[in-house]
Amino acid sequence: MDLVVKDARVVDGTGGASYRADVRLVGGRIAEIHREGRTPGPRPSARRVVEADGLALSPGFIDMHAHSDLALLRDPDHGAKAAQGVTLEVLGQDGLSYAPVDDRTLADVRQVIAGWNGGGPDDTSVDFDWRTVGEYLDRLDRGVAVNAAYLVPQGTVRMYAVGWEDRGATPAELDLMKRLVAQGMEDGAVGMSSGLTYTPGMYAEDAELTGLCRVVAAYGGYYCPHHRSYGAGALDAYREMVALTRDARCALHLAHATMNFGINEGKADELLAVVDDAVATGADISLDSYPYTPGSTTLVALLPSWAGEGGPEATLARLRDDATAARIRHHVEELGSDGCHGVPVEWDTVEVSGVCHTSAPGLAACVGKTVARVAEERGEAPWATARRLLLADRLGTTILQHVGHEENVRAIMRHPAHTGGSDGILRGVKPHPRAYGTFPRYLGHYARDLGVMSLEEMVAHLTSRPAARLRLPDRGLVREGHRADLVLFDPETVAAGATFDAPRTPPVGIPYVLIDGRFVMKDGRRTDVLAGRSVRRHTV
């Protein structure tokens, strides 16, 4: 496509001052930037012209923490992300995704993260015809809504090599895990993720993780852990990941970096001091966050790690047994389970956002209510309600946890290592609005309305900084020769439409989005263009 974007306010992703320019796109690349009053010669022309009329033109936004692993294959529209100006997502997060797998592992992982992605045992909307990372990326290359990079999921790798046992890996098992990670990196993964409050990945000790990180480092990738605690042990958990990756000489990207629960109110500066001290002594660290206070996960994730040993069927059997269920309740409500970050659960902060088995009696009526409220309506204890949900929904229930702190959110997003990540779960009747609103909320609410930082600096957090972490030499900036993955938005009106009551409302103020120089959003509407492809490590 030969196209000129005329009279745009270019916010180029560097963080520097914006400027007026005409930008010509040819063959999926930025061919010319003609700056007003600076570039000699005539203004560029083309067969097609978009009159920007002062709209901001920026690089496409990079979602550093996405859960669109199946949504990209199931939903060609994928308006949840395309409408936000997202042109690249990083998948394979939190140590659990769909490659590399064998038949047994695939069956388990489909059940375990059905609440995140759908794709459960009865879901026929996706043909799971891949097993390796390369084969999964090949599926994306058939054409998807936006580009996608992939992290090798350490929990899935452990599931494949060790199973669901809570023990250290044998030398042979560790060797197999290293080979699986290496093959994933060879296939094009950009790094490795972990979910260290999710089974079975959380059963790995530091020495095992360090060995896998050394493999990742050998390929120039990065480690992206959801670490062992965001609650009572948060600072120690951050320090653990810093020390581990320093030992492995591996770059570190802290997933959805937050300081949540009452114990961490006002403690963002302590986290940032850990990061700054490590960076000052040579560590390579970045992080992502979402611009909201509540978190989102699955209800089963709140259980203690021992309840997940043996896999999902073993967990369900423990929940059916009254004595074992009582022991689980004691850990969850009184001791503070490792699944709930060492903090005793407060059921009035746990809101049901979605269920997988909507035909099961009473499940759908729970969505949008806290566990405490459902329990009150039923005249039973909250644990009885939670247990009933877990059993009836076969562990598929997703939740919001209202445990964050606004001052921590703002402090973390200001940090120079910060990037944007939605952590957006797209399933459920009332998903977290971050899945549909993260990037316009950063631009509108936090940059324009609150002045947390300038528009130019905020765009850098969402574009060039994540591109640098991903080692992408031709993305993340409006620069001649770079890929024409671009967003045109109105700085005065851009805003997230999504709310907690209406979480799938599209944003406003983002009329145009281009990937590879092709319109995926035009005049505020999704086109039928599927310009997205896999973005592989070996192309860097």
Side-chain angles (χ1 to χ4, degrees):
M1 181 182 291
D2 186 7
L3 170 72
V4 168
V5 180
K6 193 173 181 180
D7 193 28
R9 174 187 171 184
V10 177
V11 185
D12 65 7
T14 64
S18 58
Y19 56 86
R20 291 274 180 159
D22 298 341
V23 179
R24 185 183 179 201
L25 315 178
V26 178
R29 299 272 177 175
I30 299 172
E32 181 182 358
I33 300 174
H34 190 282
R35 294 185 62 166
E36 184 179 77
R38 294 276 298 272
T39 304
R43 298 173 71 175
S45 60
R47 290 186 299 107
R48 301 184 68 179
V49 175
V50 172
E51 296 283 353
D53 293 326
L55 291 175
L57 177 70
S58 81
F61 306 132
I62 298 176
D63 188 342
M64 286 295 287
H65 193 104
H67 289 286
S68 303
D69 307 48
L70 298 185
L72 275 171
L73 302 177
R74 180 191 296 113
D75 176 17
D77 180 77
H78 201 44
K81 296 300 179 67
Q84 293 184 61
V86 171
T87 58
L88 172 59
E89 299 183 279
V90 184
L91 313 177
Q93 298 288 350
D94 294 328
L96 290 167
S97 191
Y98 305 95
V101 292
D102 57 11
D103 291 349
R104 172 189 57 82
T105 306
L106 178 60
D108 282 351
V109 79
R110 285 181 64 178
Q111 180 169 351
V112 168
I113 55 175
W116 292 358
N117 299 313
D122 301 325
D123 188 339
T124 60
S125 63
V126 174
D127 181 7
F128 290 86
D129 60 353
W130 67 86
R131 293 296 180 269
T132 69
V133 171
E135 289 167 350
Y136 173 72
L137 296 178
D138 287 344
R139 278 291 303 274
L140 299 178
D141 284 339
R142 298 178 193 175
V144 288
V146 305
N147 296 311
Y150 191 75
L151 297 165
V152 179
Q154 171 262 330
T156 300
V157 166
R158 196 172 214 274
M159 201 185 304
Y160 188 121
V162 182
W164 290 87
E165 297 179 46
D166 184 0
R167 61 170 176 81
T170 67
E173 290 165 343
L174 181 56
D175 182 64
L176 174 55
M177 285 190 281
K178 288 179 178 179
R179 284 187 278 119
L180 290 168
V181 172
Q183 186 59 58
M185 298 299 293
E186 289 277 358
D187 287 348
V190 295
M192 181 180 76
S193 74
S194 283
L196 299 179
T197 64
Y198 300 128
T199 57
M202 68 192 302
Y203 298 145
E205 296 179 352
D206 283 3
E208 180 181 314
L209 296 171
T210 301
L212 299 180
C213 282
R214 289 194 176 110
V215 176
V216 173
Y219 287 91
Y222 67 93
Y223 181 43
C224 179
H226 164 124
H227 51 77
R228 298 191 193 275
S229 177
Y230 289 84
L235 288 172
D236 286 341
Y238 283 115
R239 293 188 187 103
E240 176 191 10
M241 295 298 102
V242 170
L244 186 155
T245 49
R246 291 293 295 271
D247 187 19
R249 299 189 177 184
C250 184
L252 173 64
H253 181 84
L254 297 168
H256 39 58
T258 59
M259 294 291 287
N260 286 341
F261 302 93
I263 195 170
N264 290 318
E265 186 172 2
K267 290 187 176 180
D269 288 345
E270 296 181 47
L271 160 61
L272 300 177
V274 171
V275 173
D276 290 339
D277 289 348
V279 170
T281 55
D284 181 1
I285 302 177
S286 56
L287 55 87
D288 65 66
S289 75
Y290 47 83
Y292 297 86
T293 53
S296 180
T297 187
T298 55
L299 183 59
V300 69
L302 306 185
L303 305 188
S305 56
W306 57 262
E309 188 173 7
E313 293 303 324
T315 302
L316 289 166
R318 292 186 181 100
L319 287 165
R320 292 187 193 101
D321 180 76
D322 290 343
T324 308
R327 183 178 167 217
I328 294 172
R329 184 211 63 78
H330 177 67
H331 279 255
V332 169
E333 292 189 341
E334 297 177 36
L335 299 182
S337 75
D338 48 4
C340 196
H341 311 280
V343 178
V345 71
E346 297 175 336
W347 293 115
D348 60 349
T349 69
V350 178
E351 178 184 351
V352 178
S353 60
V355 294
C356 288
H357 295 80
T358 53
S359 61
L363 280 187
C366 298
V367 175
K369 302 175 183 177
T370 66
V371 171
R373 179 181 169 189
V374 175
E376 183 179 4
E377 291 174 353
R378 295 182 64 92
E380 62 188 8
W383 167 248
T385 298
R387 181 186 177 192
R388 188 189 310 276
L389 275 165
L390 289 164
L391 288 169
D393 206 20
R394 294 188 59 79
L395 313 181
T397 304
T398 51
I399 60 169
L400 305 182
Q401 274 189 288
H402 296 270
V403 293
H405 306 285
E406 179 65 20
E407 69 275 22
N408 287 349
V409 169
R410 297 188 196 185
I412 291 167
M413 78 170 64
R414 290 189 185 101
H415 194 272
H418 171 262
T419 65
S422 70
D423 196 12
I425 294 173
L426 300 169
R427 304 290 288 178
V429 173
K430 294 189 72 175
H432 197 304
R434 67 193 185 191
Y436 291 76
T438 285
F439 294 88
R441 182 170 169 85
Y442 268 127
L443 298 170
H445 182 64
Y446 282 98
R448 181 190 62 232
D449 298 342
L450 299 181
V452 170
M453 65 185 77
S454 69
L455 177 68
E456 289 83 355
E457 181 65 13
M458 186 65 84
V459 167
H461 283 240
L462 308 180
T463 58
S464 63
R465 292 186 185 177
R469 165 51 68 219
L470 296 168
R471 299 189 177 184
L472 303 177
D474 59 355
R475 300 177 196 262
L477 294 170
V478 180
R479 182 170 290 175
E480 290 178 358
H482 275 48
R483 290 183 178 272
D485 294 354
L486 300 167
V487 182
L488 270 164
F489 65 93
D490 184 347
E492 299 303 317
T493 64
V494 63
T499 65
F500 287 99
D501 289 332
R504 286 193 171 86
T505 306
V508 297
I510 305 179
Y512 298 101
V513 181
L514 298 101
I515 294 177
D516 200 31
R518 302 166 66 193
F519 287 106
V520 297
M521 295 290 299
K522 187 175 182 182
D523 298 322
R525 294 183 176 88
R526 178 73 173 92
T527 70
D528 61 1
V529 169
L530 298 176
R533 299 294 186 271
S534 69
V535 175
R536 307 193 189 209
R537 182 202 58 82
H538 66 251
T539 64
V540 175

